[in-house]
Amino acid sequence: MDKSSCSFETKIIAAEFAKPDAYGAITMPIYRNAAFEFDDSQIISEAFAFRTDLHTYSRISNPTVRNFEEKIIAASKAENVVALASGMAAISNTFLTIASAGDNIVASPHLFGNTFSFLKMTLAPFGVETRFVNTDNLNEIEAAIDENTCAFFCELITNPHLEIANLKAISKILRTRDVPMIIDTTIVPWCGFDARAAGVDIEVVSTTKYISGGATSMGGAIIDYGTHSWTSNRKLGALMKPKGMSRFMFKLRAEIARNIGACMAPDTAYLHSLGMETLRLRYEKMSASAFELASYLETHPKVLKSNYPKLPSSPYKAISDDLFTGNPSAMFTINLASKADCFKFMDNLRIIRRATNLFDNKTLAIHPESTIYVTFSPEMKRFIGIDDTSIRFSVGLEDVEDLKADISEALDHIN
């Protein structure tokens, strides 16, 4: 049977080892070793030159990590994948691969706090400008692009704003200007979103979220669809295109990821591989519960606003229905009358945990303004679009009726 025609789950579970296991294990073992032995000097030389798929040193590649990367390739239909230590490692390694002094990145300002900080504070001193635009305005995006634009970047669904850019329309603009589209797709996994069909060239993902199987460990991944040539990129254009990978992927693997050293640990890759096998099952339940809770709270008298892209009240419903299969993520937000009400509500939750992170098996609630963005100035919070009356929920695997009851009882404590 041709495995390429199999279902999402089967492709992940049936992903084969690069080499048969010596003992016939059907789950990839954890290779915790740092170094790998070679039969002769010529073979080790070829391995270091990327002329074979053999492993040399676990900071560069590792059998357990590579098996996890192959599962992502099977799930996403990507050309190549690099797994790293965190989602922020995926973002930083991506832009360090493509950006040079004098380049600019066109991006949405509505980003996760550390992503915004990386672009605005960390990259800027190296001479890389970020031009923040309203991604709802196609003319504004096109006007911001010039000959020094090395990428367009946004989140698939913004966290915590829940805005969705029209990626298919933006992709048409970027193709005519030879600019790659880089999207943080952490919010919706591959069973709910086809990145290639939407025109995405590079995905960055925090695998800590859905993929880890319940927040078991930290990880990230860079997914390359091989759809951008990179010939006009000042860092990558002069590179010879190696066999089996893009110029971007070769630069990333051979230099940037190797030099930065933010490699994924083999133990993490093992846990994430297990998480991949139940990804769709968990995502479908979590996202269905998120939609049900957001719908329920939309009519609650003490909730000023319930925000979820599938709700008829969302301005992004049409784009959401076009881009996503099923429910668009397991995250939603509500707005209460004041910051004090938010704190009082959260302090009276008994099942839902007060914690950061997204897409744990447990449902989590957080007040972003006073936590994730607490170190940002009031002016910066306004620019990013963060207010102090919003609560973000990440919905887990608990029974949805129990979650409704917990939320309802907590809201009863608000006058």
Side-chain angles (χ1 to χ4, degrees), residues 60-311:
I60 300 168
S61 67
N62 173 279
T64 312
V65 176
R66 186 57 190 166
N67 182 250
F68 171 56
E69 293 168 346
E70 291 289 349
K71 287 182 181 294
I72 295 178
I73 289 171
S76 64
K77 299 172 287 186
E79 181 180 273
N80 220 320
V81 171
V82 170
L84 295 163
S86 68
M88 285 308 304
I91 289 169
S92 57
N93 275 260
T94 294
F95 287 110
L96 289 172
T97 299
I98 66 170
S100 303
D103 285 347
N104 66 73
I105 300 159
V106 175
S108 167
H110 293 173
L111 299 169
F112 172 65
N114 291 117
T115 306
F116 182 90
S117 177
F118 173 77
L119 294 175
K120 183 72 174 175
M121 285 81 163
T122 307
L123 267 188
F126 291 93
V128 179
E129 176 192 5
T130 300
R131 297 176 175 178
F132 293 107
V133 297
N134 175 7
T135 54
D136 290 341
N137 188 327
L138 298 180
N139 292 331
E140 189 174 332
I141 294 171
E142 186 158 24
I145 296 170
D146 64 19
E147 66 276 8
N148 295 318
T149 301
C150 66
F152 169 85
F153 176 72
C154 71
E155 294 174 358
L156 180 59
I157 303 178
T158 62
N159 170 19
H161 322 79
L162 294 164
E163 299 169 354
I164 306 173
N166 188 340
L167 299 186
K168 293 179 181 179
I170 294 170
S171 176
K172 291 178 181 178
I173 295 170
L174 300 179
R175 291 280 183 265
T176 64
R177 305 292 292 273
D178 196 24
V179 173
M181 178 186 280
I182 301 174
I183 305 295
D184 183 338
T185 62
T186 299
I187 298 296
V188 182
W190 305 287
C191 55
F193 172 64
D194 187 336
R196 184 189 288 272
V200 178
D201 296 301
I202 303 288
E203 278 185 88
V204 290
V205 177
S206 171
T207 57
T208 310
K209 311 303 190 289
Y210 299 111
I211 295 164
S212 73
T216 60
S217 42
M218 302 287 292
I222 302 170
I223 297 101
D224 179 11
Y225 287 92
T227 48
H228 191 72
S229 70
W230 303 102
T231 53
S232 63
N233 183 281
R234 68 179 79 189
K235 261 189 179 180
L236 308 179
L239 293 176
M240 291 290 291
K241 187 181 183 304
K243 185 178 179 180
M245 64 178 79
S246 67
R247 292 175 174 87
F248 167 85
M249 185 55 61
F250 180 72
K251 180 79 168 180
L252 174 65
R253 279 199 177 277
E255 179 192 330
I256 304 300
R258 183 185 291 200
N259 292 351
I260 299 300
C263 55
M264 176 175 280
D267 291 75
T268 297
Y270 176 82
L271 292 169
H272 283 28
S273 293
L274 295 181
M276 285 282 288
E277 295 181 357
T278 60
L279 175 59
R280 175 175 247 162
L281 294 172
R282 290 179 291 104
Y283 176 69
E284 289 183 351
K285 177 174 174 56
M286 294 157 73
S287 60
S289 294
F291 177 51
E292 186 170 342
L293 290 169
S295 300
Y296 164 69
L297 289 168
E298 193 169 34
T299 59
H300 196 287
K302 292 183 180 178
V303 175
L304 299 185
K305 180 183 179 184
S306 179
N307 190 11
Y308 187 75
K310 193 176 177 179
L311 292 175

Side-chain angles (χ1 to χ4, degrees), residues 15 28 49 61 115 123 139 163 183 317 335 350 366 369 399:
M28 170 59 74
S61 67
T115 306
L123 267 188
N139 292 331
E163 299 169 354
I183 305 295
K317 185 180 188 306
N335 286 78
R350 295 295 175 260
I366 197 167
E369 187 272 340
D399 186 275

